[in-house]
Amino acid sequence: MTEIQLNRRGINSIEVPAEVEATPGSDLVLRIVNHGSPLHITLASSNSSAFTSFFHENLYVNGPEEFAIPIRGNVYPGTFNIEVIAGYGARKAEFRVVVRERAAPEPEPVEIPATPAVPARSLRWRSSAPTLLLTAAALVLYGLWLVYRVDLLNAASFAALLLGVILAWLRQRS
């Protein structure tokens, strides 16, 4: 809450803070305290249209009063000024309103459930030897087919390669 002191240091004296803060979607509440006889004051802002619909207000202040200035919820950070005028324009005071973004809520820590360790399958020479032998045989048979052009060598090469793939797949499943 922002306090504005009137008539504390003399007739029509105005005391305002240099700067106040507000956040989007909140109300800037001005607590106006009059220490003397009742008076009329004017609250005005010429550069606040981007932040609020407040522009001008005439108030009769007899004692402590509260005045709320709503700040729009969809505004970007920035500043605007508010003038407090008393004594029919004889006295003026101005303060700056700084609109800051709301502090982002701290994210709550998320617990990640522990996953059981899966044992890594190691490639062992003995378990992959038949697959490697069938692959080598397929390459040799294919090379012989390229040299001699005997279709039986090509078919045997394909069968050896297919058998190696099936063996590797079965080994992976177990």
Side-chain angles (χ1 to χ4, degrees):
M1 186 175 308
T2 302
E3 281 202 3
I4 298 173
Q5 304 291 330
L6 303 174
N7 291 325
R8 188 161 68 172
R9 295 188 177 175
I11 296 173
N12 292 330
S13 69
I14 304 168
E15 299 170 50
V16 296
E19 186 174 281
V20 297
E21 291 187 10
T23 56
S26 67
D27 287 342
L28 173 63
V29 179
L30 304 177
R31 185 169 190 273
I32 304 167
V33 180
N34 184 5
H35 295 279
S37 58
L39 76 152
H40 283 92
I41 65 166
T42 300
L43 298 175
S45 178
S46 60
N47 61 349
S48 64
S49 62
F51 302 97
T52 180
S53 59
F54 166 77
F55 171 68
H56 187 269
E57 188 73 29
N58 289 321
L59 299 174
Y60 177 74
V61 183
N62 190 12
E65 301 281 335
E66 286 189 4
F67 181 74
I69 299 174
I71 307 296
R72 291 186 182 112
N74 59 348
V75 297
Y76 292 104
T79 62
F80 64 95
N81 298 329
I82 295 179
E83 279 187 330
V84 181
I85 305 167
Y88 301 104
R91 301 277 175 112
K92 289 183 183 180
E94 184 176 84
F95 63 96
R96 175 186 288 200
V97 178
V98 178
V99 178
R100 300 192 192 281
E101 286 188 21
R102 290 181 190 255
E106 292 187 26
E108 294 182 21
V110 177
E111 290 187 31
I112 300 172
T115 55
V118 177
R121 295 183 183 204
S122 62
L123 291 176
R124 293 185 216 140
W125 174 254
R126 288 184 186 165
S127 64
S128 62
T131 307
L132 289 176
L133 288 175
L134 283 170
T135 305
L139 284 173
V140 168
L141 288 170
Y142 188 73
L144 290 172
W145 174 78
L146 284 174
V147 172
Y148 297 113
R149 294 291 177 187
V150 176
D151 288 335
L152 184 62
L153 293 172
N154 190 14
S157 168
F158 180 75
L161 195 57
L162 186 62
L163 189 59
V165 168
I166 292 171
L167 251 162
W169 179 69
L170 287 174
R171 194 160 306 208
Q172 193 75 3
R173 286 188 59 185
S174 60

